[in-house]
Amino acid sequence: MALQDQLTADLKTAMKAKDKISLNVIRSIKTSLTNERVKLEHDLTEDDEIAVLSRELKQRKESLAEFDKAGREDLVEPLKEEIKIVEKYAPAQMSQEEVEAIVKQAIADTNAAGMGDFGKVMGKVMAAVKGRANGNVVNQTVKDLLK
């Protein structure tokens, strides 16, 4: 469980440096991982860990959009720092070209002919990208390529 070890080491470093933002984010991630482990009733696999990190990242990005829209600059900057910290643990995001290549392969594999096959293609693509691509980007790419 390399992620847990990394989080624990970074937690100690943040404590020593008195870095409150990092400390809070790392504690939040550790708590989410623990809650997920309890919910699933087994040790987390790498895919489970990626799902938790993706959820943490998505929540923060959604909050950032809301705070930005509301003009709450006092909350935007700390949240951007939190996002950077979570991204450090999450897998690197795929480029648009990589997503397109996976979508094209999924369309070929499922013999998709149009928007009626959208669900089949999305299911195959989301399983392939698993936390490495934003669902909205994948959704739009599939729509564009199935037209």
Side-chain angles (χ1 to χ4, degrees), residues 35-50:
N35 290 342
E36 189 74 6
R37 190 178 74 236
V38 168
K39 181 176 126 186
L40 296 176
E41 298 178 346
H42 63 74
D43 285 341
L44 299 179
T45 64
E46 189 174 335
D47 287 343
D48 295 334
E49 290 174 346
I50 290 171

Side-chain angles (χ1 to χ4, degrees), residues 12-133:
K12 290 176 186 175
T13 303
M15 284 179 177
K16 289 176 184 175
K18 296 185 183 352
D19 182 355
K20 291 186 181 200
I21 292 177
S22 294
L23 199 57
N24 288 336
V25 172
I26 294 169
R27 282 181 175 155
S28 172
I29 294 170
K30 285 179 68 79
T31 300
S32 294
L33 289 168
T34 301
N35 290 342
E36 189 74 6
R37 190 178 74 236
V38 168
K39 181 176 126 186
L40 296 176
E41 298 178 346
H42 63 74
D43 285 341
L44 299 179
T45 64
E46 189 174 335
D47 287 343
D48 295 334
E49 290 174 346
I50 290 171
V52 170
L53 289 171
S54 296
R55 190 169 43 238
E56 289 286 318
L57 196 55
K58 181 180 179 187
Q59 288 172 349
R60 284 173 172 80
K61 285 184 177 180
E62 288 172 353
S63 296
L64 180 65
E66 291 298 317
F67 293 154
D68 206 24
K69 190 166 67 173
R72 294 292 309 267
E73 288 302 316
D74 59 319
L75 298 174
V76 169
E77 288 308 313
L79 203 51
K80 285 182 180 177
E81 287 297 315
E82 288 185 22
I83 289 170
K84 286 180 188 173
I85 295 166
V86 176
E87 285 176 337
K88 185 170 100 174
Y89 301 105
Q93 294 295 295
M94 299 175 94
S95 69
Q96 180 66 32
E97 293 77 25
E98 291 173 311
V99 172
E100 281 182 24
I102 291 174
V103 170
K104 286 176 183 175
Q105 184 63 46
I107 290 171
D109 291 349
T110 59
N111 296 319
M115 287 304 288
D117 297 318
F118 179 82
K120 286 194 290 188
V121 174
M122 276 297 290
K124 189 159 183 68
V125 172
M126 291 308 289
V129 299
K130 204 93 166 182
R132 296 179 295 140

